[in-house]
Amino acid sequence: GDQVDLSCSSLSSLQSLTDIFGRTFPTNTLHSIVITGSRLGPLPNDIFQGKSFEIITFSNNRYTSFDTSGIFSSSNGRLKSLTVRQDTDDWNFQLSSIEQLIVLTDLELSGYNMALLGKVASQTLVSLTLRSDLLTSVPNLGTLPSLETLNLDGSVIASLSSNQFTGFT
C-alpha cells in the first residue's frame, strides 16, 4: 500500500535507534513502528527525529524509560495508538506527555515495575489501559472527556477515593 511500517528488534543501544532515524527517509510520514527486544535506556525528546507515526509500539525492551514529555513530539498531530509493554526492569512513563498527542485514541501501558509520573489528560483518548501488578492506586487522571474504556486489569488497587472519577462523564 501507500504506508510504511517499521520494525526494529534487538537493538543493542539507544545510539543504534538514533542512527537509524538520523538518516534521510523518502518520507517523514510513516504508518507504524514496533520496537522490541532492545536495550535503549531513557528516551530523549523527539526520539524519531522528525519522523511521525500513527501507531507506536514498544514491547519487551530493557532499561527503557519514558521520563521526558517530548519523546513523541514529531508525532504529536498524527499518533493514534501508543503501546508500551515492558515486564522487565524498572521504568517510568511521563503521563503529561499524552496531552500533547492531539489525536491519540488508544493508550496501553503495561509492565510489572512501571512508575507513572504526572497526570494523564487528553481530549481525544478513548481507551486507556494501565496494567501492573504493582499498581496500588489509580494514577492521577485529569480531564478525559472522550474516555470510554479504563482498563486497570492486573492491578492490586484495594480502594478508590470518592472523588476519583469526578472529571468523567
Side-chain angles (χ1 to χ4, degrees):
D2 293 330
Q3 65 187 30
V4 177
D5 299 300
L6 298 175
S7 176
C8 298
S9 63
S10 303
L11 299 174
S12 61
S13 69
L14 180 60
Q15 187 61 49
S16 298
L17 188 62
T18 57
D19 287 349
I20 291 168
F21 287 99
R23 298 173 188 257
T24 302
F25 281 49
T27 179
N28 285 340
T29 305
L30 308 161
H31 180 252
S32 70
I33 185 166
V34 175
I35 300 172
T36 185
S38 298
R39 298 171 65 95
L40 300 176
L43 299 179
N45 286 331
D46 196 17
I47 183 65
F48 301 118
Q49 300 180 39
K51 281 74 170 176
S52 68
F53 295 93
E54 288 182 36
I55 301 168
I56 297 174
T57 302
F58 285 83
S59 180
N60 296 319
N61 296 294
R62 301 292 313 266
Y63 311 112
T64 304
S65 280
F66 305 80
D67 295 329
T68 58
S69 61
I71 293 170
F72 308 110
S73 60
S74 58
S75 296
N76 282 353
R78 293 191 65 237
L79 188 61
K80 294 178 183 176
S81 177
L82 174 60
T83 301
V84 180
R85 292 183 192 122
Q86 308 211 140
D87 288 323
T88 58
D89 309 319
D90 295 341
W91 61 281
N92 301 327
F93 191 93
Q94 182 55 252
L95 291 170
S96 62
S97 64
I98 299 309
E99 199 164 8
Q100 300 168 20
L101 303 172
I102 60 173
V103 296
L104 187 70
T105 57
D106 298 293
L107 175 62
E108 177 184 341
L109 304 174
S110 299
Y112 183 72
N113 291 323
M114 72 177 182
L116 302 174
L117 311 172
K119 175 173 67 173
V120 61
S122 170
Q123 296 298 307
T124 58
L125 198 61
V126 173
S127 176
L128 175 59
T129 299
L130 303 172
R131 193 175 287 137
S132 173
D133 292 343
L134 298 181
L135 191 62
T136 59
S137 63
V138 176
N140 192 353
L141 301 175
T143 305
L144 299 164
S146 301
L147 194 68
E148 295 176 8
T149 303
L150 175 61
N151 183 350
L152 301 169
D153 184 37
S155 68
V156 291
I157 298 170
S159 65
L160 298 172
S161 66
S162 60
N163 63 353
Q164 187 71 54
F165 302 105
T166 56
F168 290 72
T169 56

